[in-house]
Amino acid sequence: MRHGIDDLLTLMQVLRDREQGCPWDLQQDWDSIVPHTLEEAYEVADAIERRAFDELPGELGDLLFQVVYYAQFGAEEQRFDFADIVDTLTAKMLRRHPHVFPEGTLASRRPPGVSAEEVQTQQVNSRWELLKAEERAERAVERPSVLDDVPRTLPALSRAAKLSKRAARVGFDWPDARGVVAKIREELAEVEEALAAGDQQHAQEEVGDLLFAVTNLARTLNADPEQCLRATNAKFERRFRFVERELSAAQRPLIEASLDEMEAHWQAAKAEEKQSTHS
């Protein structure tokens, strides 16, 4: 017999039971679980990017378990439970998809004969952003800034992209990508000036400004900076492993290889990738 969501909720209740539960699970609280939640989310992303679909049910289950954890904490403190999470999410999605559920109910549908392809994507996105803005406005009594509710626990690149996107919505933005490129050159020049002056602390600060500017460029190109960097990380790892294999085949210890040798193999790796891409 296959287990269902009720089984999972029961399992969590038993794990957190003061008499019969697991000592480790009983020690956890809101703050201690957050790092695990972030880790599980990244493992889901990693499995998808590697197209490891056989691993994905397990990784998604681990991520779902984090949600169940928070639901249990909420229930124990009589704040909310899993049913409240599901109800809140469903209501929000119904509200944000009036082009699919015109009456705001699961049973409602748009008129027959209007396909998903016929619904203008731009209109849908505009409506989505408007609804999110309205939801934020409802919370703005205590949070007056447009930058409020951008989670501080996000990876730095992702948070930079969200912060700049929020600012861009109210007109604080470059007119096009060329303006961002000019800003990148400006920030790079300031890094070079700090290095020339021997001011390492200032150089570090300017590197942060440079990274923020590059993140803005990714945003203007409708690219996610985290995904861009993960792709580059994977490319670097792939090419460097090629260098290691080639040196190993030549019985040349990596530590003894010159930079010129490693660079030659690096360029060979790039050429091989380029050839396989065009073949």
Side-chain angles (χ1 to χ4, degrees):
M1 185 179 71
R2 293 170 64 89
H3 294 296
I5 189 63
D6 288 337
D7 297 320
L8 182 57
L9 295 174
T10 299
L11 182 146
M12 175 56 73
Q13 291 169 3
V14 175
L15 288 176
R16 293 278 296 177
D17 185 271
R18 291 296 172 185
E19 295 183 359
Q20 299 179 324
C22 169
W24 187 89
D25 290 286
L26 285 168
Q27 292 173 1
Q28 304 314 305
D29 57 26
W30 297 99
D31 297 317
S32 68
I33 291 297
V34 169
H36 298 282
T37 306
L38 297 173
E39 180 180 344
E40 298 301 352
Y42 278 118
E43 290 183 359
V44 168
D46 177 66
I48 292 173
E49 290 174 354
R50 292 186 291 109
R51 293 298 186 265
F53 295 117
D54 57 328
E55 301 175 17
L56 198 51
E59 298 297 352
L60 287 170
D62 291 342
L63 184 57
L64 174 60
F65 196 62
Q66 302 302 301
V67 177
V68 172
Y69 241 121
Y70 297 121
Q72 181 64 28
F73 293 154
E76 290 171 1
E77 298 177 10
Q78 297 184 331
R79 298 177 183 273
F80 60 84
D81 58 17
F82 188 79
D84 292 319
I85 296 174
V86 173
D87 178 67
T88 301
L89 173 61
T90 304
K92 180 168 63 177
M93 291 299 106
L94 287 171
R95 187 169 61 250
R96 289 184 177 179
H97 292 82
H99 53 288
V100 179
F101 308 100
E103 297 175 16
T105 65
L106 278 175
S108 63
R109 297 291 187 273
R110 62 172 170 261
V114 180
S115 67
E117 291 75 13
E118 292 176 292
V119 177
Q120 292 294 323
T121 301
Q122 185 175 358
Q123 293 178 354
V124 170
N125 290 340
S126 297
R127 176 62 178 169
W128 178 274
E129 293 299 334
L130 177 62
L131 287 167
K132 289 198 294 185
E134 290 174 351
E135 290 169 4
R136 284 194 295 271
E138 292 174 359
R139 302 191 296 268
V141 176
E142 298 179 359
R143 297 180 174 183
S145 173
V146 297
L147 303 181
D148 284 334
D149 77 5
V150 177
R152 294 182 180 275
T153 52
L154 283 174
L157 284 177
S158 293
R159 190 161 193 267
K162 282 187 173 293
L163 289 172
S164 63
K165 185 177 180 180
R166 289 287 182 85
R169 287 177 184 165
V170 294
F172 193 72
D173 197 11
W174 291 273
D176 54 38
R178 288 174 296 181
V180 189
V181 171
K183 183 63 175 178
I184 290 173
R185 292 197 179 102
E186 175 188 328
E187 299 296 354
L188 180 57
E190 292 179 0
V191 172
E192 292 173 336
E193 289 175 9
L195 290 173
D199 191 339
Q200 184 174 358
Q201 183 175 353
H202 187 207
Q204 291 174 351
E205 179 183 341
E206 295 299 341
V207 166
D209 293 345
L210 177 60
L211 288 170
F212 193 87
V214 172
T215 300
N216 269 284
L217 180 59
R219 175 182 58 79
T220 60
L221 298 175
N222 295 318
D224 179 84
E226 285 286 334
Q227 290 182 338
C228 290
L229 188 54
R230 283 201 298 271
T232 295
N233 287 343
K235 180 168 59 178
F236 177 88
E237 182 178 9
R238 188 170 61 248
R239 291 176 180 175
F240 193 80
R241 288 181 183 275
F242 179 93
V243 172
E244 289 177 316
R245 288 196 302 271
E246 292 300 304
L247 289 173
S248 177
Q251 298 184 339
R252 185 88 164 115
L254 184 64
I255 194 67
E256 296 178 6
S258 67
L259 180 58
D260 288 340
E261 287 178 277
M262 289 189 282
E263 177 64 20
H265 291 307
W266 180 272
Q267 293 300 327
K270 289 178 62 176
E272 184 177 285
E273 287 181 1
K274 187 175 181 179
Q275 183 177 2
S276 62
T277 300
H278 291 86
S279 61

